[in-house]
Amino acid sequence: MSGWNYHVTHFVTSAPDIRHLPADSGIEVAFAGRSNAGKSSALNALTNQKSLARTSKTPGRTQLINLFQVAEGCRLVDLPGYGYAEVPEEMKLKWQRALAEYLQMRNCLKGLVVLMDIRHPLKDLDRQMISWAVQSNIAVLVLLTKADKLASGARKAQLKAVRDAAEEFAGDVQVEMFSSLKKIGIDKLKQKLDSWYSELPPAVEAE
């Protein structure tokens, strides 16, 4: 099947944890990242919709698992942002539990997109997310966001450094640079999503 049309993506539901999500079927690809990594902007750039995922001036507002449907059986999942300082500790722990549970127990989860600011990559929680995914045999696409904030040489150096570091995880981890502002990396993101969704059972594809 040639590429999916991400522009028709629409919001389905928000859930506090996996017990409130729809049936565990089809294929889901989840987006995760620190609260200020530019996750909402990336989802909006991918779908060419200004407010599909709300971008907030106060990071850490997304406290629910948000589901969007690309096509029948294909969903994008916006996971709660993690690691923002101004959220009470109890809240942080609750989010981390919900995240871990989703990554480890959601069978239809096919791939994980981990977004990190290219200037501050691979913080502890980023590494933890990637480790969880690798342990659960889930492929990972790391997007180094806000790539437009660095000059070309510095961007390439960061990309190489993070690619080298990603080898430590010994899993299926691909690293690309991304900028929702300059539309850098959107094609790479679409290609990866297409490859994950292409594993849908034929019956679903035909609908």
Side-chain angles (χ1 to χ4, degrees), residues 6-121:
Y6 295 98
H7 297 176
V8 298
T9 303
H10 60 275
F11 174 75
V12 181
T13 187
S14 292
D17 53 50
I18 62 172
R19 280 167 289 286
H20 294 82
L21 290 174
D24 193 352
S25 63
I27 289 181
E28 284 178 0
V29 174
F31 280 61
R34 291 169 64 80
S35 301
N36 51 357
K39 197 157 46 75
S40 300
S41 302
L43 281 163
N44 291 340
L46 166 70
T47 58
N48 203 22
Q49 297 181 40
K50 284 196 169 61
S51 57
L52 179 79
R54 283 191 294 279
T55 52
S56 168
K57 290 281 178 269
T58 312
R61 282 282 166 81
T62 314
Q63 295 167 20
L64 298 166
I65 299 171
N66 294 310
L67 256 71
F68 304 94
Q69 182 160 305
V70 176
E72 187 66 43
C74 302
R75 291 178 298 278
L76 290 171
V77 182
D78 184 11
L79 293 172
Y82 50 80
Y84 195 68
E86 292 183 14
V87 175
E89 198 58 37
E90 189 185 338
M91 191 65 143
K92 273 191 211 170
L93 291 170
K94 196 172 149 195
W95 288 359
Q96 269 175 283
R97 273 199 303 275
L99 284 172
E101 197 178 53
Y102 174 81
L103 290 173
Q104 290 160 341
M105 297 170 69
R106 188 77 170 159
N107 295 322
C108 64
L109 178 62
K110 183 77 201 160
L112 179 68
V113 181
V114 180
L115 299 99
M116 318 174 188
D117 187 320
I118 193 165
R119 299 162 299 176
H120 318 286

